[in-house]
Amino acid sequence: MSVRVRFAPSPTGPFSLGNARTALFNWLFARHEGGTFLLRIEDTDKERSKKEYEKILLDGLKWLGFEWDEEPWRQSERLPVYKKYLERLLEEGKAYYCFCTPEELDAERQALLSQGMPPKYGGRCRAIPVAEAKERLKKETAVIRFRTPEKEVAFTDMVRGRVAFDLGLIGDIVIAKDLESPLYNFAVVVDDYEMNITHVIRGEDHLSNTPKQIAIAEALGIEPPHYAHLPLILGPDHKKLSKRYLETSLLDYRDQGYLKEAVLNFMVLMGWHPAEDREVLSVEEMLKEFDFKRVAKSGAVFNPEKLDWLNAHYIKNSPPEKLAEAAAPFLPEAWRKDEAFLAKVLGTERERAKRLSDFKDLAGFFFELPDYEARKLVWRETPAAAILDNLRFTLDVLAKIPPAAGKETVENYLMTVAEKRGSGEVLWPLRVALSGQDASPGPADIIAALGPEESVRRIQVAIAKLGTLIG
Ligand code: GLU
């Protein structure tokens, strides 16, 4: 049977990177295997599920490029389906109505805990016949419990190998609040079956749910899918990941200027590694190489420095036109009028940017020469008159450069001047003249992006400023 997987988020909070990693691994596996990737919104928790969170999920998936196959499923639209299966379990005596009040259950829990026993349900309502329960339901409320078999359940996890659980420790779990309100463990089993899911890929936090789901599947006569539990994501210190990162939503990373290529690369390394432990991987490479053999049981580390490093790497290596498109939301409207110029500017600045949002500060001088103090043009102890002379000489040399010359040609010309008159003495004032700053890309890069006309104008401004120093 061909592979069918699902990403099944609950829209009860922001879309975290941890959750996005689950989506990524499902998507990679589906695409690698030529299978189907489904999206299922698990919104049975009516109080906590919100439409706005659902929208954030869809936006995040689209941003990352995880297009899903078939229409997304929504559990809240499938209540009659779950009801049918619940009724079947009730009729077959594999589930029963439980009338215990929260107070009674709490007292039972406390009593067990104080004796050092696992706090499982004692089974008081187990023996109530369905007919009697239905009668009582006219006046009382009840939940539906699954008659959990007291036995060991074992399965082969694609990441962890054989995993076994003693169901005897769990007791009869609540699978629905009523016939119209199924709970997670029940709805998942029904859906995975009805949607022909072959592989369930999810975080390790769900590992303890798996034996419950297998037991429910068995009670319904369903063959459970294969399971893969992705390693828990830990902080850089290999301890529990701090709340700050757990709660940062995927779209916050987008809005802070991370490229999706960097985020994808970062996420895939949280639990999987390619051959030769390469760290930089394009999506094409991930799709080609992904397999569960290289998913680790532990050690998925969330290292924000690595994300920054990857982001700088992808910015540095992005084609300027693509960069201009990705950076557009972070830039002033006016910069976007001349796209070719913008691409040239970002191509010149991409070495220095760590985030797309950095361009706004780094590249402003290309669009408008900032005002600066005349003193800034002076290199160390060099007399202002010598600096002035150097700038004039540079201007003469630049006048000889063909107008469409590229960076290398400009650089060669400038080097000859620098060799004759000293590199600090020539290149420092030129940098300041062109950018108004003391940190910038090299003068030749700036000239190549600004073009000869604007470069000459800026040098003339500097010459005028120096004139005021000399008096
Ligand atoms: N809805 C569950 C969650 O968001 C996922 C369930 C699953 O993958 O089985 O954690």
Side-chain angles (χ1 to χ4, degrees):
M1 206 207 261
S2 78
V3 161
R4 276 173 77 84
V5 298
R6 78 316 189 262
F7 175 52
S10 309
T12 52
F15 187 13
S16 69
L17 269 201
N19 240 346
R21 181 197 62 166
T22 301
L24 170 64
F25 281 44
N26 273 287
W27 180 75
L28 285 177
F29 184 63
R31 294 292 172 261
H32 182 84
E33 300 292 324
T36 306
F37 172 69
L38 300 183
L39 174 60
R40 185 169 78 217
I41 307 288
E42 303 211 318
D43 57 351
T44 49
D45 185 335
K46 290 172 210 129
E47 279 93 64
R48 291 177 58 224
S49 299
K50 300 251 155 32
K51 274 280 167 209
E52 70 230 50
Y53 291 135
E54 188 178 315
K55 183 176 180 310
I56 289 172
L57 277 163
L58 299 184
D59 287 352
L61 292 172
K62 281 186 208 147
W63 178 54
L64 295 174
F66 303 159
E67 67 302 348
W68 49 89
D69 306 308
E70 307 178 7
E71 276 297 299
W73 295 97
R74 215 166 262 105
Q75 286 189 326
S76 58
E77 292 167 2
R78 296 174 47 75
L79 300 181
V81 178
Y82 310 121
K83 184 175 176 187
K84 193 178 79 190
Y85 285 88
L86 281 170
E87 281 172 337
R88 203 167 104 197
L89 285 186
L90 285 163
E91 269 158 36
E92 292 174 3
K94 293 173 179 166
Y96 58 90
Y97 284 103
C98 170
F99 295 89
C100 295
T101 63
E103 295 74 29
E104 286 165 340
L105 293 170
D106 198 45
E108 177 178 84
R109 248 180 87 82
Q110 295 307 332
L112 285 167
L113 282 173
S114 66
Q115 292 165 49
M117 315 248 286
K120 64 176 193 183
Y121 177 60
R124 192 184 339 205
C125 297
R126 261 190 156 201
I128 302 174
V130 186
E132 185 188 323
K134 284 199 173 144
E135 214 31 58
R136 283 178 67 174
L137 276 175
K138 290 179 186 156
K139 289 189 280 313
E140 293 174 66
T141 56
V143 297
I144 300 171
R145 280 190 190 270
F146 176 60
R147 205 179 286 273
T148 309
E150 302 230 342
K151 61 168 194 179
E152 185 186 86
V153 160
F155 62 98
T156 307
D157 187 273
M158 287 157 70
V159 177
R160 316 176 66 82
R162 185 176 188 274
V163 181
F165 278 91
D166 179 3
L167 285 180
L169 297 173
I170 295 172
D172 293 348
I173 53 167
V174 180
I175 52 173
K177 289 198 212 150
D178 55 53
L179 283 174
E180 266 77 38
S181 313
L183 294 183
Y184 160 70
N185 277 311
F186 184 75
V188 161
V189 173
V190 170
D191 281 346
D192 287 342
Y193 170 65
E194 289 234 331
M195 294 165 198
N196 291 318
I197 298 302
T198 56
H199 297 75
V200 166
I201 304 165
R202 59 188 174 196
E204 196 185 300
D205 48 329
H206 282 292
L207 193 60
S208 60
N209 286 323
T210 304
K212 300 175 193 167
Q213 293 173 14
I214 291 176
I216 294 170
E218 280 177 359
L220 289 168
I222 291 171
E223 176 83 27
H226 298 288
Y227 292 98
H229 289 91
L230 307 176
L232 212 63
I233 299 174
L234 301 172
D237 52 1
H238 290 249
K239 300 217 179 88
K240 204 167 167 258
L241 186 61
S242 80
K243 242 178 144 150
R244 181 170 144 224
Y245 294 118
L246 273 176
E247 286 172 2
T248 306
S249 95
L250 173 73
L251 294 178
D252 288 340
Y253 288 94
R254 179 193 65 184
D255 299 342
Q256 286 165 18
Y258 288 92
L259 280 172
K260 72 162 194 245
E261 289 79 2
V263 172
L264 287 166
N265 194 152
F266 177 68
M267 291 195 303
V268 83
L269 296 176
M270 289 195 294
W272 179 81
H273 66 95
E276 294 125 35
D277 273 344
R278 276 143 50 231
E279 298 243 273
V280 177
L281 284 130
S282 65
V283 172
E284 290 70 33
E285 286 169 308
M286 292 178 207
L287 283 167
K288 213 162 113 221
E289 297 178 39
F290 183 79
D291 67 359
F292 272 96
K293 277 193 222 92
R294 291 181 176 279
V295 174
K297 278 201 200 56
S298 63
V301 171
F302 185 102
N303 180 350
E305 278 168 27
K306 185 178 278 175
L307 176 58
D308 286 341
W309 178 81
L310 283 167
N311 203 44
H313 170 88
Y314 280 101
I315 288 179
K316 207 183 298 178
N317 291 285
S318 286
E321 295 71 28
K322 224 186 121 207
L323 211 45
E325 210 184 295
F330 300 93
L331 305 177
E333 195 63 37
W335 293 19
R336 287 149 63 183
K337 274 193 217 119
D338 183 345
E339 280 173 30
F341 179 61
L342 176 61
K344 244 193 244 176
V345 167
L346 300 193
T348 306
E349 283 289 359
R350 67 188 163 171
E351 293 275 337
R352 298 202 299 154
K354 305 256 177 298
R355 299 183 186 184
L356 295 171
S357 48
D358 291 346
F359 284 119
K360 190 167 167 284
D361 290 332
L362 290 173
F365 72 85
F366 281 96
F367 296 87
E368 193 180 340
L369 177 65
D371 195 21
Y372 59 91
E373 298 269 315
R375 289 258 6 121
K376 204 175 191 162
L377 287 157
V378 177
W379 169 251
R380 296 193 178 156
E381 309 306 319
T382 315
I387 296 282
L388 178 63
D389 195 49
N390 284 348
L391 270 184
R392 283 203 176 117
F393 186 73
T394 310
L395 203 51
D396 288 345
V397 171
L398 287 178
K400 295 192 197 109
I401 305 179
K407 180 198 147 185
E408 276 77 29
T409 315
V410 178
E411 195 143 73
N412 288 340
Y413 276 85
L414 292 182
M415 279 312 131
T416 54
V417 184
E419 267 160 35
K420 252 186 252 155
R421 298 183 168 221
S423 73
E425 289 82 348
V426 171
L427 299 180
W428 175 263
L430 184 57
R431 169 198 300 283
V432 176
L434 293 167
S435 69
Q437 339 229 356
D438 34 17
S440 72
D445 292 279
I446 304 177
I447 293 170
L450 283 179
E453 205 178 307
E454 175 64 8
S455 303
V456 165
R457 187 189 73 81
R458 292 186 179 196
I459 297 169
Q460 281 162 346
V461 169
I463 288 172
K465 276 185 192 271
L466 279 171
T468 65
L469 279 187
I470 295 163

